[in-house]
Amino acid sequence: MAWKIIRIIIGTLMMAAAVNFIFEPMNMVMGGVSGLAIIVKELTKGIVDGGFPVWVTNLAANVPIFLLGYFVMGKSYLGYTFFANLCFSFFLLVLPVVSIEQKDYFLSAIAGGVLTGGGLGLVFAAGYSTGGMDLLGSIIQSRLKSYPVAVILFALDATVIFTGALVFGFFTTAYAVVSVFISSRIMDEILSGLKLGKQIWIISEEHQKISNKIIQQMGRGVTCISGQGMYTKRTKNILFCVVGKRQVMSLVSIVRQVDRAAFIVIQDAREVMGEGFRKISE
């Protein structure tokens, strides 16, 4: 419970820093409600001195989304999501908007993408979101089940980004798209990369010795699967083992010590849960 709250606080702080330190000063619209808020601030400068603050629009736009989500998704889902949105709006309020004189769009796109992707990854790793377009996309998908959430989110964000291009120009929008790509990659690494393991398949006549050494020296479980070589028609015993990324070379070394002719296949395991890895309940 405490770790979820810490992840949400740190994640929303990183996201707010990206908005106030980079995206708002550089007029870069990445999509989402915060991107929409940057557009609203620019369009309302003639109405309110400096335009409507981003944190105000972000909070105001999320109110109807959360009300709709309460009736569609249920209150159990919205608890921490609402907390995350409050944290995000709070940090948007308290963090100063930095004035950037020397505008380097390329470095800004990289820094903004890293901060946003890291922040979103931490919040999503806690099992929640900051509301906004993510919540709206889930609500729409619950009614339009033939469309995946990813497609709906893409359409929503693309609309915001295109509107930003009309307001701020396509030059800054091009760099905003670069930032979106970086953000998605960073977020994916946090959500999947940190839980990434390696699944290893071993075919050897010395399968018993190899499995014993892996269990004794590495403390990893090994499964033996019976197979058949289709050319020789001989029965083969195939060892299957999952290890952390840093343990791959140790396992390969064990196999080579026992049987240098062993056949080894190493593959990525995008999600590893269970004994010795991430607990299923997390």
Side-chain angles (χ1 to χ4, degrees), residues 176-216:
V177 172
V178 172
S179 196
V180 170
F181 174 77
I182 295 173
S183 173
S184 64
R185 296 298 301 172
I186 295 294
M187 182 175 65
D188 181 63
E189 285 301 313
I190 290 177
L191 293 176
S192 299
L194 295 182
K195 297 176 282 189
L196 185 70
K198 295 290 185 178
Q199 54 183 0
I200 301 179
W201 301 84
I202 306 162
I203 301 176
S204 169
E205 298 296 333
E206 303 291 339
H207 57 276
Q208 189 63 60
K209 291 183 180 180
I210 292 172
S211 60
N212 289 341
K213 280 184 171 290
I214 293 173
I215 294 170
Q216 293 169 5

Side-chain angles (χ1 to χ4, degrees), residues 29-271:
V29 178
M30 280 186 64
V33 173
S34 59
L36 181 64
I38 294 174
I39 296 173
V40 170
K41 181 176 182 178
E42 178 68 21
L43 296 177
T44 56
K45 285 183 176 179
I47 303 173
V48 179
D49 185 26
F52 285 122
V54 170
W55 74 271
V56 172
T57 305
N58 180 78
L59 196 59
N62 271 284
V63 169
I65 296 177
F66 271 96
L67 288 175
L68 187 59
Y70 177 83
F71 293 104
V72 176
M73 310 295 291
K75 63 180 180 180
S76 59
Y77 174 83
L78 297 180
Y80 282 102
T81 299
F82 184 67
F83 171 72
N85 185 260
L86 286 179
C87 288
F88 182 47
S89 298
F90 172 76
F91 288 130
L92 287 174
L93 169 63
V94 299
L95 292 178
V97 177
V98 177
S99 178
I100 302 176
E101 295 182 2
Q102 186 177 355
K103 296 189 174 183
D104 190 323
Y105 287 95
F106 182 70
L107 288 179
S108 296
I110 294 176
V114 170
L115 282 172
T116 302
L120 283 171
L122 288 174
V123 174
F124 288 155
Y128 301 93
S129 73
T130 57
M133 294 300 181
D134 296 316
L135 178 56
L136 183 59
S138 297
I139 294 171
I140 295 174
Q141 199 275 334
S142 68
R143 299 301 179 186
L144 301 176
K145 298 185 182 298
S146 58
Y147 295 92
V149 175
V151 174
I152 297 172
L153 285 175
F154 176 79
L156 292 173
D157 285 332
T159 301
V160 174
I161 293 173
F162 180 74
T163 305
L166 296 178
V167 174
F168 297 110
F170 286 89
F171 179 80
T172 56
T173 301
Y175 284 99
V177 172
V178 172
S179 196
V180 170
F181 174 77
I182 295 173
S183 173
S184 64
R185 296 298 301 172
I186 295 294
M187 182 175 65
D188 181 63
E189 285 301 313
I190 290 177
L191 293 176
S192 299
L194 295 182
K195 297 176 282 189
L196 185 70
K198 295 290 185 178
Q199 54 183 0
I200 301 179
W201 301 84
I202 306 162
I203 301 176
S204 169
E205 298 296 333
E206 303 291 339
H207 57 276
Q208 189 63 60
K209 291 183 180 180
I210 292 172
S211 60
N212 289 341
K213 280 184 171 290
I214 293 173
I215 294 170
Q216 293 169 5
Q217 296 182 22
M218 299 184 65
R220 288 298 185 190
V222 183
T223 299
C224 185
I225 303 171
S226 180
Q228 183 185 55
M230 296 308 294
Y231 180 75
T232 62
K233 303 301 180 181
R234 292 175 55 194
T235 300
K236 298 284 185 178
N237 287 299
I238 307 166
L239 299 180
F240 174 74
C241 182
V242 178
V243 300
K245 291 182 288 186
R246 297 181 181 180
Q247 295 179 303
V248 172
M249 295 313 299
S250 296
L251 188 144
V252 171
S253 177
I254 288 174
V255 175
R256 293 306 186 204
Q257 289 173 14
V258 177
D259 182 8
R260 298 194 65 83
F263 186 78
I264 306 173
V265 177
I266 303 172
Q267 298 174 304
D268 285 337
R270 298 298 294 177
E271 290 280 349

Side-chain angles (χ1 to χ4, degrees), residues 13-24:
L13 175 60
M14 293 173 65
M15 293 165 59
V19 173
N20 284 11
F21 296 165
I22 298 172
F23 297 134
E24 184 178 344

